[in-house]
Structures are given as C-alpha cells and as structure tokens.
Amino acid sequence: MMDFDISMLALRLVAGFIFIAHGWPKVKGMKMTAQHFESMGFKPGHVWGTAVALIEFVGGIAVLLGFMASTAAFGLAIVMLVALFWKLGKGQGLVGGYELDLALLAIAIAITLLDSGAYSMAGRALYGY
C-alpha cells in the first residue's frame, strides 16, 4: 500500500505544480486571459478564461495538497479534454502540440478515480498520518 501512496503523492505533486504554474499567469492577468480565450473562439472570453484560470490554479493547489483532490482533478480533466480536442481540431500533432495535455489528462483521470492517497490532507484525516 505504501507504494501506491508514494505513487499518488508523486502524481499529485507533479500535476499540482504544473497546473499552478499554468493557472497563476491566467489568474494574474485576467484581462489578457479573457482576450486570449476570446481569440481562440471560446466566447465569452471572460467567462471561459476565468473558469479555466480558477480551475487550473485552485484545482492545482487542491491536487497538490490532496484536499478534495478527486473533485479538483475531475475539473482539471475536463479542462485538459477540451484543450486536447481544441488542439486536435487545429491540426496540432503529438510532439510540440498536445502531448502535455494528454499526459495531464491521464494524470487527472488517475487522481479522480484513485483519490489522493495517504500522504495528503485527506489521507491525514482518513489514515491518521
């Protein structure tokens, strides 16, 4: 069981840091985020940009800490699924295109289905660690 918990910790830390790193600039520059989403065809840009920024940033923190990680990871999986299909629709290839989105989608699905493991805020409550 310890191997599982360490594996989930590794997945959560990596995914959490990546989502925080991608979400923070969006949160910090909401006006530019809204314009960018509008230019990509996600209208209204302020609604979709704000939603994605908050899901990535707050969801990344939740996943990192293991607090409501399954719920946060589900939201992140949806964001990555939309990003993946958007890039596929634009004709982007795997390398230099959608490989990060695909990897993050798989990690988010794993965290959604398997939860956060013992080394998390939820694990502390459940397992007493």
Side-chain angles (χ1 to χ4, degrees), residues 21-35:
H22 283 263
W24 176 243
K26 291 178 181 84
V27 168
K28 194 170 67 170
M30 290 300 274
K31 186 175 180 180
M32 285 186 57
T33 299
Q35 291 170 351

Side-chain angles (χ1 to χ4, degrees), residues 26-102:
K26 291 178 181 84
V27 168
K28 194 170 67 170
M30 290 300 274
K31 186 175 180 180
M32 285 186 57
T33 299
Q35 291 170 351
H36 182 65
F37 272 77
E38 190 88 21
S39 74
M40 290 189 301
F42 294 97
K43 297 178 182 184
H46 69 280
V47 171
W48 295 111
T50 300
V52 169
L54 292 175
I55 291 169
E56 285 185 359
F57 185 67
V58 176
I61 293 170
V63 165
L64 182 80
L65 297 175
F67 177 73
M68 295 185 61
S70 288
T71 303
F74 182 74
L76 292 166
I78 292 170
V79 168
M80 291 294 88
L81 191 61
V82 171
L84 178 66
F85 281 118
W86 185 84
K87 288 182 177 181
L88 286 169
K90 294 292 181 184
Q92 292 188 17
L94 178 65
V95 178
Y98 61 86
E99 72 272 10
L100 181 61
D101 304 287
L102 187 61

